Amino acid sequence: MLPVLKAADFASDQDVRWCPGCGDYSILAQMKKILPDLGVPREKTVFISGIGCSSRFPYYMNTYGMHSIHGRAPTFATGLKSTRPDLMVWVITGDGDALSIGGNHFIHLLRRNVDLNIVLFNNRIYGLTKGQYSPTSTEGQVTKSTPMGSIDHPLNPLSIALAAEGTFVARSIDAHVKHLGETLKRAANHKGTSLVEVYQNCNVFNDGAMAYAQEKKQRADNVVELEHGKPLIFGSKSDKGIRLVGSRLEIVNLADVAVDDLLIHDEKEPNPAIQMMLARMRYPEMPEPIGVLRSVEGVATYNDQINEQVELAKQKKGVGDLQKLFSTGDTWQVA
Amino acid sequence: MTVPPTPSNVVPPDLTTSKSVKTVTGITVRLAGDSGDGMQLLGTQLTNTSALAGNDVATFPDFPAEIRAPRGTRAGVSGFQVQFASEEIFTPGDTLDALVVMNPAAMVTNLADLRKGGILIANVDGFNEKEFKLAKVESNPLEASVIEETYRIFKVSMTKLTRDAVAEFGLGTKVADRCKNFFAMGLVYWLFGRSLDTTLRFIDAKFGKKPDVAAANVAALRAGWAYGETTEAFGESFQVEAATLVPGTYRNMMGNQALAWGLITASKLSGKDLFYGTYPITPASDILHELSKYKNFGVRTFQAEDEIAAVCATIGAAFGGTMAVTASSGPGIALKAEGMGLGMILELPMIVINVQRGGPSTGLPTKTEQSDLLQCMYGRNGEAPLPILAPRSPGDCFDIAVEAWRIATECMCPVMILSDGYIANGSEPWRIPDVASMPKITVNHPEGTDTDEPYMPYARDEYLARPWAIPGTPGLMHRVGGLEKQDGTGNVSYDPANHQHMTDTRAAKVDRIAERIPDQDIFGDPTGDVLVVSWGGTYGSCHTAVKQCREAGRKVSHAHLRYINPMPKNVGELLRSFKTVIVPELNKGQLRLLLRAKFLVDCIGVNKIQGKPFSVSELVAAIESHVADSSSATADPHSSANGKPKAESIAG
């Protein structure tokens, strides 16, 4: 019988040092809240982060943890999970960490489908280095390093994850705590790599950048909550929907269009084409999707396969015997 | 249709020569041809056959960086040199006793190494106007009168003879011509009294599924042997008796293979599965190829998306309690530098292997060099010392791998192995160890507790090593990271005094390894005129050169360092016991810089950066120029003409 743990049991003895009002606090709180429900002991839980404000996260958890180097958390986690599949591994990263310096590793982690969970804190700014634009900053955004506005086209983490054949792709919002907790829990229960992008407010360097999605009043009109098997309906009066017309999505008024004509969300569809269309919906033209865009089961994980090959080799060739190995092939005696 | 004969259904006739046989102590032969001619295969077969005959062998493969450099050009020449001898040898040999060339480009690029009176065997079918043009020679180099006068030359129509020999198997011309390296092999085997057995077995194993190709190769091999026996041109063949080696069972061993086997052995001796994270790079890739065959030994190989991913995945595996190893060559090690620094501050045991090649940047990928020593000593940000070991020969790679893992676990830090392309691809006889008698490597992980007291992940033992508490252990939850840590607790700390303390402690931990390694041994007397100090793959040349000088009555000794950081405790004393210290290196003087800085002893460098190993003769000349009676010395220590290594002194 496992001891019943509470959120507080997952708190380390370290003082949390994020700026007052930072969205990170909410994510930390939700994580501590859902972990006891997962039934995984603390000592079997590992948090691995890269560099950035979000990446201080492991220090605040009373689990095993590693604060690593910039952008590389996915690789440490891959090495750990490949050799220790018994552990529950979380990768904590930010938009700069995961998509800029770590973009390469982010893609490869997803395509390998290592059985772990990525939580990507996206505040569309570099917080720790004090306010430069990030790969998800909007075009024209004025920051310390872009006084005339950013000329980079922003990356969309969900599109990248889907393009890399990610098997679990989701988005949530720091301020939408219930939704965040539920999404994290679903991610944890997914076998394979799960990605949860969390819209997270940096109230110091990019305050309100995602207020349209974070503030309760605006959220209903600017965000569509996805639920598997349900039509895409949104709006403060639940009076709007999303319809698929040809190869594009459009907003319709439910006064004009029957619910049956709306797009029904299918997170289990292996072909990611429509999920990709959802990922590409951007404010202000379209409501942005939150929830699980894609959850495909049954795809082999890297950690299972690397370990299965070892077992298979042992079955086929027998457990390795050094003395036998050394003596195979051409040998000769010297008396 | 009749089934063509294959090696397994043909009983080889007893191949004994009827011509006179001359017994010699050793032979150095180089096989050179176009990179598609199968010279590496030929060389490997000759090596294995010679080793099985009981000779001591040493090899030096030399190939272009391009997979298929333009055919027939000098850039495309692929060579394989092997020395086999009835006495103990340490190098693949300096000057060649015999040179086999398949085309003009191979001849003009290799002839300078053939000794006067040496045997030159040329495939004359490869010598025509088209080939002269490709090789950029004006006329047939075989026809030059100086060639006839200087060497014993044998012009053999190998392509035609091979086609005739394999005609009955109905192969296309292209496939038939590909058999000509086996013809050359047969001729070489006849000339040096080698048995065909090993190669027949090889053909059977390799081409067994293509019986016509197998039969053609066998026919070509036999035709080459028969050509030597029947043609009037060859009056005699040569015989090299078995060498007197330490009793035991031997096999032939290449450096990268030995590293791989050493790693597997260390993993078994410590009861740890092996995780190998890497990204392909010449000349380290063969370690990956070798290890990936042994999954039944619990080996997990991870071909990462880049070098950084490779080292970081390795650290992740080490954090989880696995024996974790990464390897690369210099350019990849540069990319791994930040990760190595993290591994160092996390104080996790792992191994980082650098199989050095010519640098800088992409440099000379297929050529050897020793110029990454300072990169490995200092090429990380901050104060990040790591232990460094360097194997001295292909077989020594095995022992170094085991030793590196022992040190990594005892001291809880990443350990570097500095190999090089020359060792990696070279081979030598390797005495098979008795696994049962090898000392175990004891690895302890602290046991779990049920208290909720914060765990002290950076508490230390007498050698300053911290405990290796691994995830999954109850009660020992802790967090590691690259930010400076408070001693004991491992918590993040910016305290100035703590940073000094931790920096000093990490350095002291590496220094204390000197307490656990053997004293530096010396070949020759403990005092004298000249001490030659070397490290890594130059061991064989340096050892042979010192041996020759000592046989000539010089007071010369040799100290070869296998432990570079820390060095054995008595190195300073050794250096001070000689009038002159000479440090030959395939770089601009990196070990020399360390020795001078550490021990304040002047050292004279012999430095060569040509992508080639030292020859014994150039080292003998360099030593001779510095023996006490320098008035009789003829070599100019400051000469760098004619591609000879430049001897220089920092003091000079």
Side-chain angles (χ1 to χ4, degrees), chain B residues 114-130:
Chain B
L114 184 61
R115 70 169 166 78
K116 285 197 174 84
I119 294 169
L120 174 67
I121 299 174
N123 172 22
V124 288
D125 295 333
F127 285 69
N128 54 45
E129 287 302 331
K130 191 177 145 211

Side-chain angles (χ1 to χ4, degrees), chain B residues 619-634:
Chain B
L619 289 177
V620 168
I623 296 167
E624 288 286 343
S625 71
H626 287 288
V627 289
D629 184 13
S630 58
S631 59
S632 66
T634 51

Side-chain angles (χ1 to χ4, degrees), chain A residues 321-334, chain B residues 52 245-253 257-258 261 265 395 398-399 428-438:
Chain A
D321 178 333
L322 283 175
Q323 205 69 55
K324 231 159 92 186
L325 168 69
F326 295 166
S327 308
T328 48
D330 292 327
T331 62
W332 68 96
Q333 298 284 332
V334 173
Chain B
L52 283 173
L245 300 172
V246 178
T249 307
Y250 283 78
R251 63 176 302 128
N252 202 32
M253 188 65 113
Q257 182 189 14
W261 287 21
T265 304
F398 179 88
D399 296 327
E428 65 179 356
W430 178 68
R431 192 158 67 95
I432 296 173
D434 174 26
V435 178
S437 67
M438 294 182 80

Side-chain angles (χ1 to χ4, degrees), chain A:
Chain A
M1 203 37 209
L2 286 168
V4 180
L5 294 169
K6 301 180 297 293
D9 294 319
F10 283 91
S12 76
D13 61 347
Q14 300 296 294
D15 294 334
V16 181
R17 290 194 192 165
W18 284 314
C19 304
C22 176
D24 290 359
Y25 285 101
S26 162
I27 305 173
L28 179 65
Q30 288 311 308
M31 184 64 81
K32 284 194 274 202
K33 201 169 160 197
I34 65 133
L35 283 178
D37 295 345
L38 300 176
V40 178
R42 287 177 298 179
E43 66 268 16
K44 290 271 191 183
T45 307
V46 185
F47 284 88
I48 300 185
S49 63
I51 298 292
C53 295
S54 64
S55 289
R56 302 296 174 97
F57 196 98
Y59 291 123
Y60 308 138
M61 299 297 299
N62 188 13
T63 63
Y64 285 89
M66 185 191 289
H67 176 219
S68 74
I69 53 179
H70 210 174
R72 321 298 176 188
T75 65
F76 295 93
T78 300
L80 180 62
K81 185 73 186 182
S82 298
T83 49
R84 293 292 309 276
D86 58 312
L87 302 173
M88 177 171 71
V89 179
W90 292 84
V91 167
I92 303 294
T93 183
D95 45 313
D97 194 52
L99 303 173
S100 196
I101 190 167
N104 179 22
H105 310 304
F106 181 73
I107 292 168
H108 288 282
L109 175 57
L110 284 156
R111 64 121 174 155
R112 288 191 182 110
N113 200 33
V114 183
D115 186 16
L116 50 75
N117 317 303
I118 314 169
V119 185
L120 194 165
F121 297 24
N122 186 2
N123 55 20
R124 300 187 186 163
I125 198 78
Y126 281 2
L128 194 74
T129 50
K130 298 188 180 174
Q132 301 84 2
Y133 75 111
S134 93
T136 53
S137 292
T138 49
E139 267 180 88
Q141 188 166 336
V142 173
T143 72
K144 271 188 184 157
S145 58
T146 52
M148 293 176 71
S150 166
I151 53 173
D152 286 15
H153 304 298
L155 278 178
N156 179 345
L158 300 184
S159 298
I160 297 171
L162 290 167
E165 309 286 331
T167 53
F168 184 98
V169 179
R171 178 189 281 152
S172 192
I173 300 170
D174 57 358
H176 196 352
V177 290
K178 191 158 170 266
H179 186 269
L180 175 60
E182 287 304 314
T183 310
L184 290 175
K185 215 188 278 183
R186 281 206 57 194
N189 287 322
H190 173 74
K191 191 167 163 57
T193 307
S194 68
L195 167 72
V196 181
E197 178 192 21
V198 184
Y199 280 173
Q200 177 264 353
N201 190 41
C202 176
N203 59 327
V204 174
F205 294 106
N206 206 18
D207 195 24
M210 286 164 285
Y212 64 89
Q214 281 161 323
E215 288 178 6
K216 226 172 178 178
K217 273 191 231 155
Q218 299 189 56
R219 188 195 299 151
D221 285 320
N222 298 331
V223 159
V224 53
E225 287 196 34
L226 303 175
E227 275 187 82
H228 179 65
K230 299 267 177 72
L232 272 68
I233 297 175
F234 69 105
S236 46
K237 299 188 190 95
S238 296
D239 55 351
K240 287 180 275 189
I242 304 287
R243 182 170 69 171
L244 177 66
V245 180
S247 59
R248 71 187 171 81
L249 299 174
E250 65 173 23
I251 300 172
V252 292
N253 282 317
L254 288 181
D256 311 328
V257 174
V259 169
D260 288 354
D261 288 340
L262 296 182
L263 177 64
I264 307 291
H265 180 50
D266 186 356
E267 65 185 27
K268 296 181 173 29
E269 169 56 50
N271 180 338
I274 291 174
Q275 296 152 7
M276 184 67 94
M277 291 165 79
L278 294 174
R280 288 174 55 83
M281 294 201 299
R282 302 299 276 191
Y283 171 83
E285 291 78 18
M286 299 289 280
E288 296 191 349
I290 63 169
V292 180
L293 277 80
R294 176 180 175 81
S295 174
V296 176
E297 299 290 338
V299 178
T301 66
Y302 186 86
N303 42 287
D304 275 353
Q305 292 192 89
I306 193 172
N307 289 298
E308 278 162 17
Q309 284 197 346
V310 167
E311 289 314 310
L312 189 67
K314 284 177 180 169
Q315 278 171 28
K316 275 181 151 174
K317 300 184 194 170
V319 175
D321 178 333
L322 283 175
Q323 205 69 55
K324 231 159 92 186
L325 168 69
F326 295 166
S327 308
T328 48
D330 292 327
T331 62
W332 68 96
Q333 298 284 332
V334 173

Side-chain angles (χ1 to χ4, degrees), chain B residues 260 276 278 280-281 284-294 301 303:
Chain B
Y276 184 73
T278 192
I281 184 169
S285 299
D286 284 332
I287 306 172
L288 169 64
H289 307 158
E290 186 69 14
L291 283 174
S292 61
K293 292 184 212 162
Y294 301 115
T301 53
Q303 184 175 315

